[in-house]
PDB file of all heavy atoms in Angstrom:
ATOM      1  N   ASP A  19     -19.907   9.419   7.201  1.00 98.00           N
ATOM      2  CA  ASP A  19     -19.122   9.958   6.157  1.00 98.00           C
ATOM      3  C   ASP A  19     -17.647  10.196   6.584  1.00 98.00           C
ATOM      4  O   ASP A  19     -16.741  10.098   5.741  1.00 98.00           O
ATOM      5  CB  ASP A  19     -19.716  11.264   5.664  1.00 98.00           C
ATOM      6  CG  ASP A  19     -20.961  11.103   4.860  1.00 98.00           C
ATOM      7  OD1 ASP A  19     -21.186  10.001   4.379  1.00 98.00           O
ATOM      8  OD2 ASP A  19     -21.678  12.010   4.646  1.00 98.00           O
ATOM      9  N   ASP A  20     -17.445  10.608   7.834  1.00 97.00           N
ATOM     10  CA  ASP A  20     -16.099  11.021   8.192  1.00 97.00           C
ATOM     11  C   ASP A  20     -15.178   9.939   8.742  1.00 97.00           C
ATOM     12  O   ASP A  20     -13.977  10.090   9.083  1.00 97.00           O
ATOM     13  CB  ASP A  20     -16.102  12.173   9.193  1.00 97.00           C
ATOM     14  CG  ASP A  20     -16.824  11.722  10.492  1.00 97.00           C
ATOM     15  OD1 ASP A  20     -17.459  10.692  10.531  1.00 97.00           O
ATOM     16  OD2 ASP A  20     -16.740  12.496  11.525  1.00 97.00           O
ATOM     17  N   VAL A  21     -15.713   8.656   8.712  1.00 98.00           N
ATOM     18  CA  VAL A  21     -14.860   7.518   9.140  1.00 98.00           C
ATOM     19  C   VAL A  21     -13.723   7.325   8.132  1.00 98.00           C
ATOM     20  O   VAL A  21     -13.961   7.366   6.878  1.00 98.00           O
ATOM     21  CB  VAL A  21     -15.698   6.236   9.314  1.00 98.00           C
ATOM     22  CG1 VAL A  21     -14.800   5.047   9.559  1.00 98.00           C
ATOM     23  CG2 VAL A  21     -16.772   6.393  10.397  1.00 98.00           C
ATOM     24  N   ARG A  22     -12.528   7.214   8.603  1.00 98.00           N
ATOM     25  CA  ARG A  22     -11.448   7.061   7.721  1.00 98.00           C
ATOM     26  C   ARG A  22     -11.402   5.673   7.038  1.00 98.00           C
ATOM     27  O   ARG A  22     -11.767   4.689   7.708  1.00 98.00           O
ATOM     28  CB  ARG A  22     -10.040   7.329   8.490  1.00 98.00           C
ATOM     29  CG  ARG A  22      -9.966   8.679   9.113  1.00 98.00           C
ATOM     30  CD  ARG A  22     -10.099   9.786   8.004  1.00 98.00           C
ATOM     31  NE  ARG A  22     -10.258  11.081   8.644  1.00 98.00           N
ATOM     32  CZ  ARG A  22      -9.993  12.183   8.071  1.00 98.00           C
ATOM     33  NH1 ARG A  22      -9.624  12.248   6.695  1.00 98.00           N
ATOM     34  NH2 ARG A  22     -10.237  13.334   8.613  1.00 98.00           N
ATOM     35  N   LEU A  23     -10.934   5.576   5.785  1.00 98.00           N
ATOM     36  CA  LEU A  23     -10.868   4.392   5.115  1.00 98.00           C
ATOM     37  C   LEU A  23     -10.051   3.259   5.862  1.00 98.00           C
ATOM     38  O   LEU A  23     -10.444   2.058   5.797  1.00 98.00           O
ATOM     39  CB  LEU A  23     -10.252   4.669   3.696  1.00 98.00           C
ATOM     40  CG  LEU A  23     -10.079   3.428   2.813  1.00 98.00           C
ATOM     41  CD1 LEU A  23     -11.364   2.691   2.598  1.00 98.00           C
ATOM     42  CD2 LEU A  23      -9.360   3.855   1.536  1.00 98.00           C
ATOM     43  N   LEU A  24      -9.031   3.643   6.566  1.00 98.00           N
ATOM     44  CA  LEU A  24      -8.318   2.667   7.265  1.00 98.00           C
ATOM     45  C   LEU A  24      -9.144   1.895   8.287  1.00 98.00           C
ATOM     46  O   LEU A  24      -9.126   0.644   8.329  1.00 98.00           O
ATOM     47  CB  LEU A  24      -7.039   3.262   8.056  1.00 98.00           C
ATOM     48  CG  LEU A  24      -6.213   2.309   8.835  1.00 98.00           C
ATOM     49  CD1 LEU A  24      -5.631   1.214   7.997  1.00 98.00           C
ATOM     50  CD2 LEU A  24      -5.143   3.068   9.578  1.00 98.00           C
ATOM     51  N   TRP A  25      -9.986   2.597   8.950  1.00 98.00           N
ATOM     52  CA  TRP A  25     -10.901   1.937   9.917  1.00 98.00           C
ATOM     53  C   TRP A  25     -11.973   1.090   9.279  1.00 98.00           C
ATOM     54  O   TRP A  25     -12.420   0.036   9.711  1.00 98.00           O
ATOM     55  CB  TRP A  25     -11.551   2.949  10.887  1.00 98.00           C
ATOM     56  CG  TRP A  25     -10.417   3.706  11.646  1.00 98.00           C
ATOM     57  CD1 TRP A  25     -10.269   5.099  11.657  1.00 98.00           C
ATOM     58  CD2 TRP A  25      -9.288   3.189  12.314  1.00 98.00           C
ATOM     59  NE1 TRP A  25      -9.151   5.384  12.321  1.00 98.00           N
ATOM     60  CE2 TRP A  25      -8.573   4.340  12.765  1.00 98.00           C
ATOM     61  CE3 TRP A  25      -8.871   1.907  12.622  1.00 98.00           C
ATOM     62  CZ2 TRP A  25      -7.372   4.044  13.531  1.00 98.00           C
ATOM     63  CZ3 TRP A  25      -7.690   1.715  13.331  1.00 98.00           C
ATOM     64  CH2 TRP A  25      -7.003   2.836  13.740  1.00 98.00           C
ATOM     65  N   VAL A  26     -12.433   1.561   8.096  1.00 98.00           N
ATOM     66  CA  VAL A  26     -13.376   0.769   7.336  1.00 98.00           C
ATOM     67  C   VAL A  26     -12.754  -0.544   6.879  1.00 98.00           C
ATOM     68  O   VAL A  26     -13.267  -1.625   7.009  1.00 98.00           O
ATOM     69  CB  VAL A  26     -13.926   1.579   6.125  1.00 98.00           C
ATOM     70  CG1 VAL A  26     -14.823   0.715   5.223  1.00 98.00           C
ATOM     71  CG2 VAL A  26     -14.723   2.716   6.573  1.00 98.00           C
ATOM     72  N   LEU A  27     -11.513  -0.457   6.312  1.00 98.00           N
ATOM     73  CA  LEU A  27     -10.866  -1.618   5.853  1.00 98.00           C
ATOM     74  C   LEU A  27     -10.670  -2.605   7.078  1.00 98.00           C
ATOM     75  O   LEU A  27     -11.025  -3.815   6.903  1.00 98.00           O
ATOM     76  CB  LEU A  27      -9.505  -1.298   5.308  1.00 98.00           C
ATOM     77  CG  LEU A  27      -9.529  -0.549   3.903  1.00 98.00           C
ATOM     78  CD1 LEU A  27      -8.148  -0.006   3.505  1.00 98.00           C
ATOM     79  CD2 LEU A  27     -10.091  -1.382   2.769  1.00 98.00           C
ATOM     80  N   ARG A  28     -10.019  -2.125   8.088  1.00 98.00           N
ATOM     81  CA  ARG A  28      -9.697  -3.024   9.267  1.00 98.00           C
ATOM     82  C   ARG A  28     -10.816  -3.496  10.048  1.00 98.00           C
ATOM     83  O   ARG A  28     -10.913  -4.624  10.285  1.00 98.00           O
ATOM     84  CB  ARG A  28      -8.594  -2.303  10.090  1.00 98.00           C
ATOM     85  CG  ARG A  28      -7.297  -2.040   9.370  1.00 98.00           C
ATOM     86  CD  ARG A  28      -6.284  -1.502  10.242  1.00 98.00           C
ATOM     87  NE  ARG A  28      -5.968  -2.326  11.451  1.00 98.00           N
ATOM     88  CZ  ARG A  28      -5.214  -3.419  11.518  1.00 98.00           C
ATOM     89  NH1 ARG A  28      -4.639  -3.762  10.384  1.00 98.00           N
ATOM     90  NH2 ARG A  28      -5.063  -4.076  12.618  1.00 98.00           N
ATOM     91  N   ASP A  29     -11.662  -2.500  10.499  1.00 98.00           N
ATOM     92  CA  ASP A  29     -12.731  -2.840  11.518  1.00 98.00           C
ATOM     93  C   ASP A  29     -14.065  -3.344  10.891  1.00 98.00           C
ATOM     94  O   ASP A  29     -14.719  -4.080  11.532  1.00 98.00           O
ATOM     95  CB  ASP A  29     -12.940  -1.638  12.383  1.00 98.00           C
ATOM     96  CG  ASP A  29     -11.723  -1.304  13.233  1.00 98.00           C
ATOM     97  OD1 ASP A  29     -10.776  -2.108  13.390  1.00 98.00           O
ATOM     98  OD2 ASP A  29     -11.700  -0.131  13.786  1.00 98.00           O
ATOM     99  N   VAL A  30     -14.360  -2.795   9.746  1.00 98.00           N
ATOM    100  CA  VAL A  30     -15.624  -3.224   9.104  1.00 98.00           C
ATOM    101  C   VAL A  30     -15.437  -4.290   8.124  1.00 98.00           C
ATOM    102  O   VAL A  30     -16.229  -5.302   8.148  1.00 98.00           O
ATOM    103  CB  VAL A  30     -16.263  -2.030   8.374  1.00 98.00           C
ATOM    104  CG1 VAL A  30     -17.508  -2.374   7.693  1.00 98.00           C
ATOM    105  CG2 VAL A  30     -16.537  -0.832   9.374  1.00 98.00           C
ATOM    106  N   LEU A  31     -14.437  -4.308   7.292  1.00 98.00           N
ATOM    107  CA  LEU A  31     -14.219  -5.308   6.285  1.00 98.00           C
ATOM    108  C   LEU A  31     -13.257  -6.440   6.681  1.00 98.00           C
ATOM    109  O   LEU A  31     -13.139  -7.386   5.957  1.00 98.00           O
ATOM    110  CB  LEU A  31     -13.716  -4.663   4.982  1.00 98.00           C
ATOM    111  CG  LEU A  31     -14.736  -3.629   4.359  1.00 98.00           C
ATOM    112  CD1 LEU A  31     -14.143  -2.872   3.193  1.00 98.00           C
ATOM    113  CD2 LEU A  31     -16.009  -4.245   4.039  1.00 98.00           C
ATOM    114  N   GLY A  32     -12.495  -6.215   7.748  1.00 98.00           N
ATOM    115  CA  GLY A  32     -11.536  -7.277   8.145  1.00 98.00           C
ATOM    116  C   GLY A  32     -10.342  -7.384   7.350  1.00 98.00           C
ATOM    117  O   GLY A  32      -9.670  -8.402   7.402  1.00 98.00           O
ATOM    118  N   VAL A  33      -9.948  -6.381   6.539  1.00 98.00           N
ATOM    119  CA  VAL A  33      -8.755  -6.295   5.759  1.00 98.00           C
ATOM    120  C   VAL A  33      -7.660  -5.707   6.658  1.00 98.00           C
ATOM    121  O   VAL A  33      -7.628  -4.495   6.779  1.00 98.00           O
ATOM    122  CB  VAL A  33      -8.994  -5.468   4.553  1.00 98.00           C
ATOM    123  CG1 VAL A  33      -7.771  -5.411   3.657  1.00 98.00           C
ATOM    124  CG2 VAL A  33     -10.141  -6.055   3.715  1.00 98.00           C
ATOM    125  N   THR A  34      -6.810  -6.555   7.218  1.00 97.00           N
ATOM    126  CA  THR A  34      -5.795  -6.052   8.207  1.00 97.00           C
ATOM    127  C   THR A  34      -4.402  -5.841   7.698  1.00 97.00           C
ATOM    128  O   THR A  34      -3.548  -5.484   8.507  1.00 97.00           O
ATOM    129  CB  THR A  34      -5.828  -7.002   9.396  1.00 97.00           C
ATOM    130  OG1 THR A  34      -5.461  -8.324   8.945  1.00 97.00           O
ATOM    131  CG2 THR A  34      -7.169  -7.104  10.101  1.00 97.00           C
ATOM    132  N   GLY A  35      -4.173  -5.993   6.377  1.00 97.00           N
ATOM    133  CA  GLY A  35      -2.813  -5.694   5.950  1.00 97.00           C
ATOM    134  C   GLY A  35      -2.397  -4.326   6.112  1.00 97.00           C
ATOM    135  O   GLY A  35      -1.257  -4.040   6.554  1.00 97.00           O
ATOM    136  N   PRO A  36      -3.256  -3.327   5.757  1.00 98.00           N
ATOM    137  CA  PRO A  36      -2.875  -1.874   6.104  1.00 98.00           C
ATOM    138  C   PRO A  36      -2.807  -1.725   7.626  1.00 98.00           C
ATOM    139  O   PRO A  36      -3.762  -1.908   8.292  1.00 98.00           O
ATOM    140  CB  PRO A  36      -3.989  -1.110   5.491  1.00 98.00           C
ATOM    141  CG  PRO A  36      -4.735  -1.918   4.557  1.00 98.00           C
ATOM    142  CD  PRO A  36      -4.459  -3.383   5.108  1.00 98.00           C
ATOM    143  N   LYS A  37      -1.680  -1.313   8.137  1.00 97.00           N
ATOM    144  CA  LYS A  37      -1.533  -1.259   9.561  1.00 97.00           C
ATOM    145  C   LYS A  37      -1.752   0.169  10.066  1.00 97.00           C
ATOM    146  O   LYS A  37      -1.479   1.114   9.377  1.00 97.00           O
ATOM    147  CB  LYS A  37      -0.102  -1.691   9.903  1.00 97.00           C
ATOM    148  CG  LYS A  37       0.347  -3.062   9.503  1.00 97.00           C
ATOM    149  CD  LYS A  37      -0.554  -4.130  10.083  1.00 97.00           C
ATOM    150  CE  LYS A  37      -0.052  -5.477   9.739  1.00 97.00           C
ATOM    151  NZ  LYS A  37      -1.248  -6.422   9.552  1.00 97.00           N
ATOM    152  N   TYR A  38      -2.287   0.189  11.303  1.00 96.00           N
ATOM    153  CA  TYR A  38      -2.412   1.481  12.029  1.00 96.00           C
ATOM    154  C   TYR A  38      -1.069   1.800  12.648  1.00 96.00           C
ATOM    155  O   TYR A  38      -0.568   1.018  13.424  1.00 96.00           O
ATOM    156  CB  TYR A  38      -3.488   1.408  13.094  1.00 96.00           C
ATOM    157  CG  TYR A  38      -3.528   2.651  13.973  1.00 96.00           C
ATOM    158  CD1 TYR A  38      -3.932   3.897  13.432  1.00 96.00           C
ATOM    159  CD2 TYR A  38      -3.034   2.626  15.227  1.00 96.00           C
ATOM    160  CE1 TYR A  38      -3.937   5.003  14.272  1.00 96.00           C
ATOM    161  CE2 TYR A  38      -2.990   3.776  15.964  1.00 96.00           C
ATOM    162  CZ  TYR A  38      -3.459   4.950  15.511  1.00 96.00           C
ATOM    163  OH  TYR A  38      -3.396   6.067  16.253  1.00 96.00           O
ATOM    164  N   GLY A  39      -0.500   2.900  12.301  1.00 94.00           N
ATOM    165  CA  GLY A  39       0.744   3.311  12.942  1.00 94.00           C
ATOM    166  C   GLY A  39       0.609   4.669  13.665  1.00 94.00           C
ATOM    167  O   GLY A  39       0.701   4.703  14.895  1.00 94.00           O
ATOM    168  N   CYS A  40       0.218   5.740  12.896  1.00 94.00           N
ATOM    169  CA  CYS A  40       0.127   6.979  13.586  1.00 94.00           C
ATOM    170  C   CYS A  40      -1.306   7.576  13.450  1.00 94.00           C
ATOM    171  O   CYS A  40      -1.671   8.383  14.338  1.00 94.00           O
ATOM    172  CB  CYS A  40       1.094   7.926  12.935  1.00 94.00           C
ATOM    173  SG  CYS A  40       0.797   8.318  11.204  1.00 94.00           S
ATOM    174  N   GLY A  41      -2.028   7.204  12.382  1.00 92.00           N
ATOM    175  CA  GLY A  41      -3.362   7.802  12.200  1.00 92.00           C
ATOM    176  C   GLY A  41      -3.350   9.148  11.621  1.00 92.00           C
ATOM    177  O   GLY A  41      -4.386   9.773  11.495  1.00 92.00           O
ATOM    178  N   ILE A  42      -2.166   9.757  11.325  1.00 94.00           N
ATOM    179  CA  ILE A  42      -2.172  11.128  10.911  1.00 94.00           C
ATOM    180  C   ILE A  42      -1.351  11.308   9.604  1.00 94.00           C
ATOM    181  O   ILE A  42      -0.810  12.377   9.333  1.00 94.00           O
ATOM    182  CB  ILE A  42      -1.637  12.060  11.980  1.00 94.00           C
ATOM    183  CG1 ILE A  42      -0.220  11.683  12.479  1.00 94.00           C
ATOM    184  CG2 ILE A  42      -2.638  12.170  13.188  1.00 94.00           C
ATOM    185  CD1 ILE A  42       0.400  12.669  13.390  1.00 94.00           C
ATOM    186  N   ASN A  43      -1.198  10.192   8.835  1.00 93.00           N
ATOM    187  CA  ASN A  43      -0.555  10.356   7.521  1.00 93.00           C
ATOM    188  C   ASN A  43       0.950  10.661   7.540  1.00 93.00           C
ATOM    189  O   ASN A  43       1.459  11.309   6.696  1.00 93.00           O
ATOM    190  CB  ASN A  43      -1.309  11.313   6.656  1.00 93.00           C
ATOM    191  CG  ASN A  43      -0.989  11.174   5.155  1.00 93.00           C
ATOM    192  OD1 ASN A  43      -0.618  10.069   4.647  1.00 93.00           O
ATOM    193  ND2 ASN A  43      -1.210  12.205   4.354  1.00 93.00           N
ATOM    194  N   VAL A  44       1.557  10.116   8.606  1.00 95.00           N
ATOM    195  CA  VAL A  44       3.026  10.420   8.793  1.00 95.00           C
ATOM    196  C   VAL A  44       3.872   9.071   8.590  1.00 95.00           C
ATOM    197  O   VAL A  44       4.724   9.046   7.744  1.00 95.00           O
ATOM    198  CB  VAL A  44       3.301  11.008  10.109  1.00 95.00           C
ATOM    199  CG1 VAL A  44       4.820  11.195  10.316  1.00 95.00           C
ATOM    200  CG2 VAL A  44       2.722  12.403  10.199  1.00 95.00           C
ATOM    201  N   CYS A  45       3.515   8.068   9.307  1.00 96.00           N
ATOM    202  CA  CYS A  45       4.350   6.783   9.284  1.00 96.00           C
ATOM    203  C   CYS A  45       4.172   5.976   7.997  1.00 96.00           C
ATOM    204  O   CYS A  45       5.112   5.341   7.613  1.00 96.00           O
ATOM    205  CB  CYS A  45       4.142   5.958  10.572  1.00 96.00           C
ATOM    206  SG  CYS A  45       2.478   5.056  10.467  1.00 96.00           S
ATOM    207  N   LYS A  46       2.961   6.027   7.437  1.00 97.00           N
ATOM    208  CA  LYS A  46       2.683   5.410   6.216  1.00 97.00           C
ATOM    209  C   LYS A  46       2.587   3.841   6.311  1.00 97.00           C
ATOM    210  O   LYS A  46       2.587   3.240   5.219  1.00 97.00           O
ATOM    211  CB  LYS A  46       3.570   5.816   5.049  1.00 97.00           C
ATOM    212  CG  LYS A  46       3.626   7.344   4.951  1.00 97.00           C
ATOM    213  CD  LYS A  46       3.989   7.976   3.722  1.00 97.00           C
ATOM    214  CE  LYS A  46       4.031   9.406   3.711  1.00 97.00           C
ATOM    215  NZ  LYS A  46       2.790  10.057   3.911  1.00 97.00           N
ATOM    216  N   ALA A  47       2.418   3.359   7.462  1.00 97.00           N
ATOM    217  CA  ALA A  47       2.225   1.986   7.648  1.00 97.00           C
ATOM    218  C   ALA A  47       0.939   1.433   6.921  1.00 97.00           C
ATOM    219  O   ALA A  47       0.846   0.155   6.644  1.00 97.00           O
ATOM    220  CB  ALA A  47       2.174   1.534   9.174  1.00 97.00           C
ATOM    221  N   CYS A  48       0.048   2.295   6.801  1.00 98.00           N
ATOM    222  CA  CYS A  48      -1.274   1.883   6.111  1.00 98.00           C
ATOM    223  C   CYS A  48      -1.208   1.994   4.612  1.00 98.00           C
ATOM    224  O   CYS A  48      -2.269   1.707   3.973  1.00 98.00           O
ATOM    225  CB  CYS A  48      -2.412   2.643   6.750  1.00 98.00           C
ATOM    226  SG  CYS A  48      -2.320   4.420   6.358  1.00 98.00           S
ATOM    227  N   THR A  49      -0.122   2.372   3.977  1.00 98.00           N
ATOM    228  CA  THR A  49      -0.070   2.589   2.558  1.00 98.00           C
ATOM    229  C   THR A  49      -0.795   1.517   1.726  1.00 98.00           C
ATOM    230  O   THR A  49      -0.522   0.271   1.878  1.00 98.00           O
ATOM    231  CB  THR A  49       1.311   2.761   2.017  1.00 98.00           C
ATOM    232  OG1 THR A  49       1.922   3.923   2.769  1.00 98.00           O
ATOM    233  CG2 THR A  49       1.352   3.109   0.557  1.00 98.00           C
TER     234      THR A  49
END
Side-chain angles (χ1 to χ4, degrees):
D19 287 343
D20 62 347
V21 173
R22 301 299 170 162
L23 177 58
L24 179 60
W25 302 125
V26 171
L27 291 170
R28 292 184 60 80
D29 296 343
V30 177
L31 299 174
V33 179
T34 58
K37 303 300 185 215
Y38 171 74
C40 66
I42 57 172
N43 199 22
V44 173
C45 76
K46 308 204 181 296
C48 63
T49 303

